Amino acid sequence: MTAILHTGDPERGVLWQEIVSREVPELDFRCEPEIGDPADIRYLIAWTLDPALIARLTNLEVLFSIGAGVDQLDLSQLPPHVRVVRMIETGITNTMADYVAMATLALHRDLPFYLANQREGVWKPQDVLLSSERTVGVMGLGQLGRAAIAKLAPLGFRVLGWSRSKADVEGAACFAGENEFDAFLAQCDIVICLLPLTDETRGMLNRDLFARMKQGASLINVARGGHLVQDDLVAALDEGQLRYAFLDVAKPEPLAPDHPFYAHPAIFLTPHVAGVTRKDTAVHSLVANLRRELAGEPLDGEVDRARGY
Ligand code: NDP
Ligand code: OXD
């Protein structure tokens, strides 16, 4: 018998069990803790890994991540032959694109400034710019960076993109690699981080990067808290090198209630809600991948484990 094991949110497990059992009847869908004979389990669905469970799954072949990112999974716990698949699904991409548009428009139209003035009883109009007069840069041109650009470009922003290898994205002028990073950064009024968290990108939103940005530019970090050096951000905001930061992610999550980010007047914090895996849509991505797997075809979103994304 070939089985797939769901871990995490029991409500999602019940829904996915019903749909996967109907759509892919060749597989026995089990929900933790009812794992049955662990030797049957070839496929695992998880957000994070439990080492005790992994040790029991001696025939595991594929790990399906609940999320688009995989850095929260400690892949060193998995034998090297186990393939890892990140979640690519319309719920995450659409909610992420909406969030990026919300934060970009809020910064573009000076909402943080007007909210602060409102609290002080101040009525003080600022010059109003056209969206075409703002340059927005997206770091990371994968599923989510591209979805963000598809939302931002029709709003009229001048959009730039940056990634490791040269990309071709409609609506954006694309830059690649360290050699073109300064040319990208120096033009942006708003920089959006949508990079995966890897050994190369950890801590890259730091003092050095902020100094290479335009003075008075703003940051939107919707990737991972580990990309950001928190003290460097506070210093850059306090010194006026950066104007505002929208942060959807932090390290650790949740931040302690007395963390300085909560009260900082130039920081806007949301609790990791930018891109959300929707159980009603993500299950169809899972089903499509399970069908590919059973047909011996390549899986959508398979991660290069050595590269980390
Ligand atoms: P993808 O794997 O599809 O895309 C990654 C992109 O980043 C690629 O363009 C890649 O370039 C680029 N990249 C990777 N490493 C580097 C580097 N060292 N220098 C420059 N570019 C690099 O990822 P997704 O778009 O699906 O997701 C991005 C991240 O968003 C996730 O890893 C996750 O951390 C975060 N996320 C956050 C959510 C939230 O709610 N806040 C929700 C979902 C995801 P190339 O193609 O050239 O390799
Ligand atoms: C993800 C997330 O990676 O929600 O999907 O952060």
Side-chain angles (χ1 to χ4, degrees):
M1 179 174 304
T2 302
I4 178 166
L5 178 65
H6 176 277
T7 62
D9 180 11
E11 207 182 294
R12 182 185 57 221
V14 170
L15 178 72
W16 287 17
Q17 184 172 46
E18 181 199 320
I19 295 174
V20 175
S21 303
R22 187 178 63 230
E23 301 287 329
V24 194
E26 302 90 316
L27 294 179
D28 182 23
F29 193 106
R30 300 178 188 169
C31 293
E32 204 190 18
E34 308 298 326
I35 77 169
D37 182 353
D40 297 340
I41 295 170
R42 304 262 176 88
Y43 309 116
L44 176 66
I45 304 165
W47 167 251
T48 53
L49 295 183
D50 167 4
L53 175 65
I54 296 299
R56 296 176 68 199
L57 304 184
T58 48
N59 291 323
L60 186 63
E61 291 177 16
V62 185
L63 166 66
F64 291 97
S65 169
I66 295 287
V70 294
D71 57 282
Q72 69 282 357
L73 298 155
D74 177 0
L75 297 185
S76 67
Q77 291 176 14
L78 284 182
H81 68 270
V82 175
R83 287 165 288 152
V84 176
V85 177
R86 67 203 169 82
M87 181 58 77
I88 297 180
E89 69 102 9
T90 55
I92 304 181
T93 49
N94 290 338
T95 51
M96 177 59 81
D98 286 350
Y99 184 100
V100 167
M102 175 279 293
T104 304
L105 283 168
L107 292 166
H108 164 55
R109 291 309 310 262
D110 295 316
L111 187 64
F113 174 82
Y114 292 120
L115 286 178
N117 282 355
Q118 178 188 340
R119 305 287 170 236
E120 300 297 320
V122 174
W123 182 280
K124 190 177 172 201
Q126 295 273 95
D127 286 347
V128 174
L129 296 189
L130 296 168
S131 54
S132 57
E133 294 170 308
R134 295 267 192 213
T135 301
V136 181
V138 179
M139 294 168 61
L141 299 175
Q143 293 296 322
L144 301 181
R146 286 166 189 260
I149 289 170
K151 204 89 181 199
L152 293 172
L155 293 173
F157 292 107
R158 179 168 173 260
V159 185
L160 309 183
W162 180 76
S163 56
R164 180 206 293 270
S165 52
K166 195 75 165 184
D168 185 9
V169 183
E170 195 183 333
C174 293
F175 297 73
E178 188 52 41
N179 287 347
E180 295 180 8
F181 196 36
D182 279 340
F184 161 83
L185 269 186
Q187 297 184 56
C188 300
D189 300 302
I190 298 169
V191 171
I192 299 164
C193 180
L194 267 169
L195 292 167
L197 185 64
T198 65
D199 290 343
E200 280 184 32
T201 63
R202 194 178 314 279
M204 81 181 278
L205 300 176
N206 61 23
R207 176 177 288 274
D208 171 58
L209 182 145
F210 301 146
R212 294 151 80 187
M213 284 168 65
K214 235 186 203 181
Q215 188 173 14
S218 294
L219 174 72
I220 299 173
N221 185 20
V222 275
R224 286 290 186 262
H227 287 113
L228 179 69
V229 178
Q230 298 185 354
D231 290 347
D232 289 3
L233 175 67
V234 171
L237 292 168
D238 291 349
E239 290 157 10
Q241 173 57 21
L242 295 191
R243 188 147 191 238
Y244 296 115
F246 262 85
L247 307 176
D248 180 58
V249 284
K251 189 166 182 262
E253 291 182 359
L255 287 177
D258 59 350
H259 192 282
F261 278 3
Y262 285 107
H264 197 289
I267 291 179
F268 301 87
L269 198 57
T270 50
H272 201 142
V273 291
V276 178
T277 302
R278 296 266 316 204
K279 38 181 178 293
D280 54 342
T281 47
V283 66
H284 300 297
S285 298
L286 175 69
V287 163
N289 255 343
L290 292 172
R291 289 199 176 125
R292 287 185 191 101
E293 170 69 8
L294 295 180
E297 293 167 5
L299 300 178
D300 193 21
E302 184 168 341
V303 167
D304 176 337
R305 287 187 55 178
R307 210 173 57 161
Y309 71 99

Coordinates of all heavy atoms in Angstrom, one line a residue, residues 67-72 86-88 92-93 96 139-146 162-167 177 193-198 200-201 204 221-224 227 248-249 272-277 307 309, ligand 1:
G67 N 4.0 25.4 2.6 CA 4.3 26.8 2.2 C 5.1 26.9 0.9 O 5.7 26.0 0.4
A68 N 5.1 28.2 0.4 CA 6.0 28.5 -0.8 C 7.4 28.4 -0.4 O 8.3 28.0 -1.2 CB 5.6 29.8 -1.3
G69 N 7.7 28.8 0.9 CA 9.1 28.8 1.3 C 9.4 27.4 2.0 O 8.5 26.8 2.4
V70 N 10.7 27.0 2.0 CA 11.0 25.7 2.6 C 12.0 25.9 3.7 O 12.5 24.9 4.3 CB 11.5 24.7 1.6 CG1 10.4 24.3 0.6 CG2 12.7 25.2 0.8
D71 N 12.5 27.1 4.0 CA 13.5 27.3 5.0 C 13.1 26.9 6.4 O 13.9 26.7 7.2 CB 13.9 28.8 5.0 CG 12.7 29.7 5.3 OD1 12.0 29.9 4.3 OD2 12.6 30.1 6.4
Q72 N 11.7 26.9 6.6 CA 11.3 26.5 8.0 C 11.4 25.0 8.2 O 11.2 24.5 9.3 CB 9.8 27.0 8.2 CG 8.7 26.3 7.3 CD 8.7 26.8 5.9 OE1 9.4 27.7 5.5 NE2 7.8 26.2 5.1
R86 N 8.0 22.7 -3.0 CA 7.3 23.8 -2.3 C 6.0 24.0 -2.9 O 5.6 23.5 -4.0 CB 8.2 25.1 -2.5 CG 8.3 25.6 -3.9 CD 9.6 26.4 -4.1 NE 9.7 26.6 -5.5 CZ 9.1 27.6 -6.2 NH1 8.3 28.4 -5.6 NH2 9.3 27.7 -7.5
M87 N 5.1 24.8 -2.2 CA 3.7 24.9 -2.6 C 3.6 26.1 -3.6 O 4.0 27.2 -3.3 CB 2.9 25.3 -1.4 CG 1.4 25.5 -1.6 SD 0.6 24.0 -2.4 CE 0.4 22.9 -1.0
I88 N 3.1 25.8 -4.8 CA 2.8 26.8 -5.8 C 1.3 26.7 -6.0 O 0.8 25.7 -6.4 CB 3.5 26.5 -7.1 CG1 5.0 26.5 -6.9 CG2 3.1 27.5 -8.2 CD1 5.8 26.3 -8.1
I92 N -1.8 31.5 -2.5 CA -0.6 32.2 -2.0 C -0.3 33.4 -2.9 O 0.0 34.5 -2.5 CB 0.6 31.3 -1.9 CG1 0.4 30.1 -1.0 CG2 1.8 32.1 -1.3 CD1 1.6 29.2 -0.9
T93 N -0.2 33.1 -4.2 CA 0.2 34.2 -5.2 C -0.7 35.3 -5.2 O -0.3 36.5 -5.2 CB 0.4 33.6 -6.6 OG1 -0.7 32.9 -7.0 CG2 1.6 32.7 -6.7
M96 N -0.5 37.3 -1.8 CA 0.8 38.0 -1.7 C 0.7 39.3 -2.7 O 1.2 40.4 -2.3 CB 1.9 37.1 -2.2 CG 3.3 37.8 -2.2 SD 3.8 38.5 -0.6 CE 4.4 37.0 0.3
M139 N 12.9 42.3 -5.3 CA 14.1 41.4 -5.2 C 13.5 40.0 -5.2 O 12.8 39.7 -4.2 CB 14.8 41.7 -3.9 CG 15.5 43.0 -3.9 SD 16.1 43.4 -2.2 CE 17.2 42.1 -1.9
G140 N 13.8 39.2 -6.2 CA 13.3 37.8 -6.3 C 12.2 37.8 -7.3 O 11.2 38.5 -7.1
L141 N 12.5 37.1 -8.4 CA 11.5 37.1 -9.5 C 11.0 35.7 -9.8 O 11.0 35.2 -10.9 CB 12.2 37.6 -10.8 CG 12.7 39.1 -10.6 CD1 13.5 39.6 -11.8 CD2 11.5 40.0 -10.4
G142 N 10.6 35.0 -8.6 CA 10.0 33.7 -8.7 C 8.5 33.8 -8.9 O 8.0 34.9 -9.3
Q143 N 7.8 32.8 -8.4 CA 6.4 32.8 -8.5 C 5.8 34.1 -7.9 O 4.9 34.7 -8.4 CB 5.8 31.6 -7.6 CG 6.1 30.3 -8.2 CD 5.5 30.0 -9.5 OE1 4.3 30.5 -9.7 NE2 6.2 29.4 -10.4
L144 N 6.3 34.5 -6.7 CA 5.7 35.6 -5.9 C 6.1 36.9 -6.4 O 5.3 37.9 -6.5 CB 5.9 35.4 -4.4 CG 5.3 34.0 -3.9 CD1 5.5 33.9 -2.4 CD2 3.8 33.9 -4.2
G145 N 7.4 37.0 -6.8 CA 7.9 38.3 -7.3 C 7.2 38.6 -8.6 O 6.8 39.8 -8.8
R146 N 7.0 37.6 -9.4 CA 6.3 37.9 -10.7 C 4.8 38.2 -10.5 O 4.3 39.1 -11.2 CB 6.4 36.6 -11.6 CG 7.8 36.5 -12.2 CD 8.0 35.1 -12.8 NE 9.4 34.9 -13.1 CZ 9.9 35.0 -14.4 NH1 9.1 35.3 -15.4 NH2 11.2 34.9 -14.6
W162 N 15.0 42.2 -9.7 CA 16.3 41.7 -9.5 C 16.3 40.2 -9.1 O 15.5 39.8 -8.3 CB 17.1 42.5 -8.5 CG 18.5 42.1 -8.2 CD1 19.6 42.3 -9.0 CD2 19.0 41.3 -7.1 NE1 20.7 41.8 -8.5 CE2 20.4 41.2 -7.3 CE3 18.4 40.8 -6.0 CZ2 21.2 40.5 -6.4 CZ3 19.2 40.1 -5.1 CH2 20.5 39.9 -5.3
S163 N 17.1 39.4 -9.7 CA 17.2 38.0 -9.3 C 18.6 37.5 -9.6 O 19.5 38.3 -10.1 CB 16.2 37.2 -10.1 OG 16.4 37.4 -11.5
R164 N 18.9 36.3 -9.2 CA 20.2 35.7 -9.4 C 20.5 35.6 -10.9 O 21.5 36.1 -11.4 CB 20.3 34.3 -8.8 CG 21.6 33.7 -8.9 CD 21.4 32.2 -8.9 NE 21.0 31.7 -7.6 CZ 21.8 31.3 -6.6 NH1 23.1 31.4 -6.7 NH2 21.3 30.9 -5.4
S165 N 19.6 34.9 -11.7 CA 19.9 34.8 -13.1 C 19.0 35.8 -13.8 O 17.9 36.2 -13.3 CB 19.7 33.4 -13.6 OG 18.4 33.0 -13.1
K166 N 19.4 36.2 -15.0 CA 18.6 37.2 -15.8 C 17.2 36.7 -16.1 O 17.1 35.6 -16.6 CB 19.4 37.5 -17.1 CG 18.9 38.8 -17.7 CD 19.4 40.0 -17.0 CE 19.3 41.3 -17.8 NZ 19.9 42.4 -17.1
A167 N 16.2 37.5 -15.8 CA 14.8 37.1 -16.0 C 14.2 38.0 -17.0 O 14.7 39.1 -17.3 CB 14.1 37.1 -14.7
G177 N 22.1 39.5 -10.6 CA 23.4 39.2 -9.9 C 24.0 40.4 -9.2 O 23.4 41.5 -9.3
C193 N 11.2 42.8 -0.8 CA 12.0 41.6 -0.7 C 11.1 40.4 -0.8 O 10.2 40.2 0.0 CB 12.8 41.5 0.6 SG 13.8 40.0 0.7
L194 N 11.3 39.6 -1.9 CA 10.6 38.4 -2.1 C 11.6 37.3 -2.5 O 11.3 36.5 -3.4 CB 9.5 38.6 -3.2 CG 8.1 38.9 -2.6 CD1 7.2 39.4 -3.7 CD2 7.5 37.8 -1.8
L195 N 12.7 37.3 -1.8 CA 13.7 36.2 -2.0 C 13.5 35.1 -1.1 O 12.9 35.2 0.0 CB 15.1 36.8 -1.6 CG 15.6 37.9 -2.5 CD1 16.8 38.6 -1.9 CD2 16.0 37.3 -3.9
P196 N 13.9 33.9 -1.4 CA 13.9 32.8 -0.5 C 15.0 33.0 0.6 O 16.0 33.7 0.3 CB 14.2 31.5 -1.3 CG 14.9 32.0 -2.5 CD 14.4 33.5 -2.7
L197 N 14.8 32.4 1.7 CA 15.9 32.5 2.8 C 16.8 31.4 2.6 O 16.5 30.2 2.8 CB 15.2 32.5 4.2 CG 16.2 32.7 5.3 CD1 16.8 34.1 5.2 CD2 15.5 32.5 6.7
T198 N 18.1 31.7 2.2 CA 19.1 30.7 2.0 C 20.4 31.2 2.7 O 20.4 32.3 3.2 CB 19.4 30.5 0.5 OG1 19.9 31.8 0.0 CG2 18.1 30.2 -0.3
E200 N 22.8 32.3 1.2 CA 23.3 33.5 0.5 C 22.5 34.7 0.8 O 23.0 35.9 0.7 CB 23.2 33.3 -1.0 CG 24.3 32.5 -1.6 CD 24.2 32.4 -3.1 OE1 23.7 33.3 -3.7 OE2 24.6 31.3 -3.6
T201 N 21.2 34.6 1.2 CA 20.3 35.7 1.3 C 20.1 36.1 2.8 O 19.5 37.2 3.1 CB 19.0 35.5 0.7 OG1 18.3 34.4 1.3 CG2 19.1 35.2 -0.8
M204 N 20.7 39.7 4.4 CA 21.1 40.7 3.3 C 20.4 42.0 3.4 O 20.9 43.0 2.8 CB 21.1 40.0 2.0 CG 19.8 40.0 1.3 SD 20.0 39.1 -0.4 CE 20.6 40.5 -1.4
N221 N 9.3 44.1 3.5 CA 9.8 42.7 3.6 C 8.7 41.7 3.8 O 8.1 41.7 4.8 CB 10.9 42.6 4.7 CG 11.5 41.2 4.7 OD1 11.4 40.5 3.7 ND2 12.1 40.8 5.8
V222 N 8.4 41.0 2.7 CA 7.4 40.0 2.8 C 7.9 38.6 2.6 O 7.2 37.6 2.3 CB 6.3 40.2 1.7 CG1 5.2 41.2 2.2 CG2 6.9 40.7 0.4
A223 N 9.3 38.4 2.8 CA 9.9 37.1 2.5 C 10.1 36.4 3.8 O 9.2 35.6 4.2 CB 11.2 37.3 1.8
R224 N 11.2 36.6 4.6 CA 11.4 36.0 5.8 C 12.1 37.0 6.8 O 12.9 37.8 6.3 CB 12.3 34.7 5.7 CG 11.6 33.6 5.0 CD 10.6 32.9 6.0 NE 10.0 31.7 5.4 CZ 8.8 31.6 4.8 NH1 8.1 32.7 4.6 NH2 8.4 30.4 4.4
H227 N 15.9 37.5 6.6 CA 16.6 38.3 5.7 C 17.1 39.7 6.3 O 18.0 40.3 5.8 CB 15.7 38.7 4.5 CG 15.4 37.6 3.6 ND1 14.2 37.0 3.5 CD2 16.2 36.9 2.7 CE1 14.2 36.0 2.6 NE2 15.5 35.9 2.1
D248 N 6.1 42.0 7.1 CA 5.1 41.0 7.3 C 5.7 39.8 8.1 O 5.0 39.0 8.5 CB 4.5 40.5 6.0 CG 3.5 39.4 6.2 OD1 2.5 39.7 6.9 OD2 3.6 38.3 5.7
V249 N 7.1 39.8 8.1 CA 7.7 38.7 8.7 C 8.8 39.2 9.7 O 9.2 40.3 9.6 CB 8.4 37.8 7.6 CG1 7.4 37.0 6.8 CG2 9.2 38.7 6.6
H272 N 2.7 37.9 9.6 CA 3.0 36.9 8.6 C 1.6 36.4 7.9 O 1.2 35.3 8.0 CB 3.7 35.7 9.2 CG 4.4 34.8 8.2 ND1 5.6 34.2 8.5 CD2 4.0 34.4 7.0 CE1 5.9 33.5 7.4 NE2 5.0 33.6 6.5
V273 N 1.0 37.4 7.3 CA -0.3 37.1 6.6 C -0.3 37.5 5.2 O -1.3 37.5 4.5 CB -1.4 37.9 7.3 CG1 -1.7 37.3 8.7 CG2 -1.1 39.4 7.5
A274 N 0.9 37.9 4.6 CA 0.9 38.5 3.3 C 0.4 37.5 2.2 O -0.5 37.7 1.5 CB 2.3 39.0 2.9
G275 N 1.1 36.3 2.2 CA 0.7 35.3 1.3 C 0.2 34.1 2.1 O 1.0 33.5 2.9
V276 N -1.0 33.6 1.8 CA -1.6 32.6 2.7 C -1.9 31.4 1.8 O -2.6 31.5 0.8 CB -2.8 33.2 3.4 CG1 -3.5 32.1 4.2 CG2 -2.4 34.4 4.2
T277 N -1.4 30.2 2.3 CA -1.8 29.0 1.6 C -3.3 28.7 1.9 O -3.7 28.6 3.1 CB -1.0 27.8 2.2 OG1 0.4 28.0 2.0 CG2 -1.4 26.5 1.5
R307 N 20.7 24.2 -3.3 CA 20.6 25.6 -3.4 C 19.7 26.2 -2.3 O 19.8 27.4 -2.0 CB 20.0 25.9 -4.8 CG 20.3 27.1 -5.5 CD 19.8 27.1 -6.9 NE 18.3 26.9 -7.0 CZ 17.6 27.3 -8.0 NH1 18.1 27.8 -9.1 NH2 16.3 27.1 -8.0
Y309 N 16.3 26.5 -2.5 CA 15.0 27.0 -3.0 C 14.7 26.4 -4.3 O 15.5 25.7 -4.9 CB 15.0 28.5 -3.1 CG 15.8 29.1 -4.2 CD1 15.3 29.5 -5.4 CD2 17.2 29.3 -4.0 CE1 16.1 30.1 -6.4 CE2 18.0 29.8 -5.0 CZ 17.4 30.3 -6.1 OH 18.2 30.8 -7.1
Ligands
NDP1 P1 10.8 31.2 -6.0 O1 11.7 30.0 -5.6 O2 9.8 31.0 -7.0 O3 11.7 32.4 -6.5 C1 12.9 32.8 -5.9 C2 13.5 34.0 -6.6 O4 14.6 34.5 -5.9 C3 14.1 33.6 -8.0 O5 13.9 34.7 -8.9 C4 15.6 33.5 -7.7 O6 16.4 33.8 -8.8 C5 15.7 34.6 -6.6 N1 16.9 34.3 -5.8 C6 17.2 33.3 -5.0 N2 18.4 33.5 -4.4 C7 18.9 34.6 -4.9 C8 20.1 35.3 -4.7 N3 21.1 34.9 -3.9 N4 20.3 36.5 -5.3 C9 19.4 37.0 -6.2 N5 18.2 36.3 -6.4 C10 18.0 35.2 -5.8 O7 10.2 31.7 -4.6 P2 8.7 32.3 -4.4 O8 8.5 33.5 -5.3 O9 7.7 31.2 -4.5 O10 8.8 32.7 -2.9 C11 9.7 33.6 -2.4 C12 9.7 33.6 -0.9 O11 8.6 34.3 -0.4 C13 9.6 32.3 -0.2 O12 10.8 31.6 -0.2 C14 9.2 32.6 1.2 O13 10.3 32.9 2.0 C15 8.4 33.9 1.0 N6 7.0 33.8 1.3 C16 6.4 34.7 2.3 C17 5.1 34.6 2.5 C18 4.5 35.5 3.5 O14 3.3 35.3 3.9 N7 5.1 36.5 4.0 C19 4.2 33.7 1.8 C20 4.9 32.8 0.9 C21 6.2 32.9 0.6 P3 16.7 32.7 -9.9 O15 15.4 32.4 -10.6 O16 17.7 33.4 -10.8 O17 17.3 31.5 -9.2

